[in-house]
Amino acid sequence: MKFRNFKMIGYVIYGRGSFDQLDEILSPNRKDGLPMIFLVDHFFKNKDLVNRIPLRGKDKVVYADVSHEPKTGDVDSLSAQFKNEFGSISGIVGIGGGSTMDLAKAISLMMNNPGSSADYQGWDLVKNPGVYKVGIPTLSGTGAEVSRTCVLTGPTRKLGMNSDFTPFDQIVLDPVLTRNPPANQRFYTGMDCYIHCIESLQGTYLNEFSKSYGEKALELCIEVFLKKEKWDEECDDKLMMASYAGGMSIAYSQVGVAHAVSYGLAYLLGTRHGIGNCIVMNQLGEYYPQGVSTFRKMVEKNKIDIPKGICKGLSDEQFNTMINVSLGMKPLWENALGKDWEKIMTREKLRSLYEKL
Ligand code: NAD
Ligand code: ZN
């Protein structure tokens, strides 16, 4: 048995209002004459948060257009832009949801690696460390703040740049930044965490390390989405820690069926990660009976719309594309269904699952 030796994030600061310590955190990481880039989710354009960013010298705020999830082309053009304008940069600070954080991680890597980010989609392909990078979540759930990947849609696949160079050097967990997203968005992203836990806890890769984080994250998700009468500050605090722990849980295991199927939807239809996972989870009673039953209770309690019929009218070719993308996620299937997964999840079986969505 060979054990994985995984790289973790550098520094973590947690607490309401901790965002205001950003200047002092960045200061020792600034390099003479080179700017810090603040990549900010476009939701925050003209919002107060932007005025609280500690700009110095040539620092720049750049808005991330996350109306779609990050593409390798976005990463390549932004990193080229920074290279042209500044030669190099002190670092990059991603402030936003999973999309903005992943974009920041990928740009950091591409500042110091040749070619296109598409060349590095996969496992351990990145050759050089990136520039200093900081993640500041404004939505809780993806675990992108702790993970060793940054998920990108490229010319031929949706796959992350998984490497030891990918995790952030610093994260700032300030639950105040996550207050007030639309209820549907908060739920979809929060459920990403819930689903990470179910998939990790029911997976064949599970060990005590993953389990201890997964169980805690699951408990926190159920508390905020099911047990609490109404949403309050404590829920923001708890969901932020659930996201962190959920990310830690899958760091030493893997996700499973919902993610493998959802990746096919994302690739073909551009379905976003959180909502896509929810659409799939809703139909996975056969694989995660208890998890799906609790999921449905949470949907009902929070009065959330989970779309149905999104695969209606697709052609055979389109179904095949989704099936190919999905079956390509081998570690996810192996974690979910064991070494013989290919005998269980046949193309026909997966097709009928897609038809139900
Ligand atoms: P997101 O980053 O895609 O953002 C969703 C929407 O919410 C956007 O319109 C954004 O502008 C808005 N938003 C962000 N913060 C807000 C706030 N505080 N208030 C109101 N609106 C706000 O959503 P997400 O679910 O956090 O991230 C999904 C992305 O994360 C996908 O691209 C997925 O591939 C990626 N992901 C990465 C990992 C990883 O380990 N790297 C894990 C899971 C998902
Ligand atoms: Zn996920």
Side-chain angles (χ1 to χ4, degrees):
M1 169 103 186
K2 191 159 173 4
F3 296 98
R4 279 189 47 212
N5 181 15
F6 71 85
K7 173 78 175 59
M8 309 228 310
I9 41 176
Y11 288 82
V12 184
I13 182 169
Y14 170 84
R16 306 185 74 78
S18 56
F19 182 81
D20 292 327
Q21 272 170 250
L22 191 55
D23 196 20
E24 114 196 21
I25 290 169
L26 297 181
S27 172
N29 297 289
R30 290 178 176 282
K31 292 190 177 145
D32 266 353
L34 298 181
M36 201 55 89
I37 302 295
F38 296 88
L39 183 73
V40 182
D41 190 310
H42 64 174
F43 169 80
F44 292 100
K45 214 172 199 165
N46 303 321
K47 302 257 167 37
D48 171 55
L49 183 67
V50 181
N51 304 323
R52 294 165 53 207
I53 292 176
L55 295 176
R56 307 253 164 231
K58 288 194 275 176
D59 285 3
K60 194 167 177 175
V61 172
V62 176
Y63 290 100
D65 175 3
V66 291
S67 51
H68 58 268
E69 294 188 345
K71 298 191 172 109
T72 51
D74 303 327
V75 176
D76 295 350
S77 65
L78 283 163
S79 47
Q81 182 191 319
F82 301 145
K83 281 181 202 166
N84 283 336
E85 198 172 342
F86 304 111
S88 186
I89 57 177
S90 282
I92 182 160
V93 182
I95 306 176
S99 295
T100 306
M101 288 193 283
D102 278 1
L103 204 49
K105 287 178 175 178
I107 292 169
S108 154
L109 296 173
M110 292 316 294
M111 291 306 292
N112 290 345
N113 283 279
S116 161
S117 50
D119 304 338
Y120 304 103
Q121 286 180 283
W123 281 271
D124 303 306
L125 302 172
V126 181
K127 296 192 175 57
N128 308 313
V131 299
Y132 176 73
K133 51 186 169 324
V134 180
I136 309 186
T138 65
L139 282 174
S140 293
T142 64
E145 63 277 24
V146 292
S147 74
R148 84 190 279 281
T149 187
C150 49
V151 184
L152 302 174
T153 305
T156 57
R157 63 203 143 185
K158 182 181 179 192
L159 186 60
M161 296 162 78
N162 295 261
S163 82
D164 281 354
F165 301 124
T166 311
F168 283 117
D169 298 296
Q170 167 84 54
I171 61 173
V172 177
L173 301 179
D174 182 346
V176 179
L177 306 186
T178 64
R179 91 184 136 199
N180 298 331
N184 274 340
Q185 181 64 58
R186 177 162 64 204
F187 187 84
Y188 299 145
T189 302
M191 280 305 110
D192 191 19
C193 176
Y194 173 79
I195 294 167
H196 290 158
C197 296
I198 300 295
E199 292 179 321
S200 165
L201 292 169
Q202 311 251 313
T204 59
Y205 290 1
L206 188 66
N207 57 30
E208 276 313 320
F209 185 101
S210 301
K211 195 174 163 198
S212 47
Y213 283 106
E215 285 176 347
K216 185 66 197 176
L218 186 66
E219 178 195 312
L220 291 167
C221 287
I222 290 176
E223 207 172 322
V224 300
F225 287 113
L226 209 52
K227 298 197 172 148
K228 273 274 193 174
E229 269 312 305
K230 76 186 232 296
W231 200 272
D232 58 16
E233 285 185 355
E234 199 190 345
C235 295
D236 289 329
D237 297 357
K238 290 196 153 134
L239 192 56
M240 185 159 264
M241 287 320 299
S243 177
Y244 178 95
M248 288 300 293
S249 176
I250 45 174
Y252 219 143
S253 62
Q254 227 340 323
V255 286
V257 183
H259 276 75
V261 177
S262 166
Y263 272 111
L265 296 177
Y267 186 77
L268 184 76
L269 306 172
T271 314
R272 300 183 78 106
H273 189 79
I275 193 170
N277 286 348
C278 287
I279 292 169
V280 179
M281 190 67 178
N282 210 16
Q283 303 298 337
L284 292 186
E286 183 182 341
Y287 304 95
Y288 306 117
Q290 179 61 46
V292 173
S293 147
T294 307
F295 170 77
R296 293 204 173 130
K297 283 184 200 143
M298 294 191 282
V299 170
E300 199 174 313
K301 157 129 200 294
N302 295 277
K303 304 189 178 62
I304 302 298
D305 314 307
I306 306 291
K308 280 206 176 120
I310 63 162
C311 292
K312 244 188 219 136
L314 294 182
S315 65
D316 286 344
E317 196 190 336
Q318 288 175 310
F319 276 111
N320 280 330
T321 301
M322 292 194 293
I323 291 167
N324 292 342
V325 169
S326 179
L327 292 180
M329 313 298 294
K330 293 184 172 40
L332 283 63
W333 289 111
E334 189 182 285
N335 174 48
L337 305 173
K339 290 236 177 296
D340 284 336
W341 65 270
E342 278 164 303
K343 294 193 189 116
I344 305 168
M345 188 46 71
T346 58
R347 294 185 74 87
E348 296 67 42
K349 180 123 196 188
L350 187 50
R351 164 93 187 225
S352 69
L353 178 51
Y354 274 118
E355 282 172 356
K356 277 201 260 174
L357 302 179

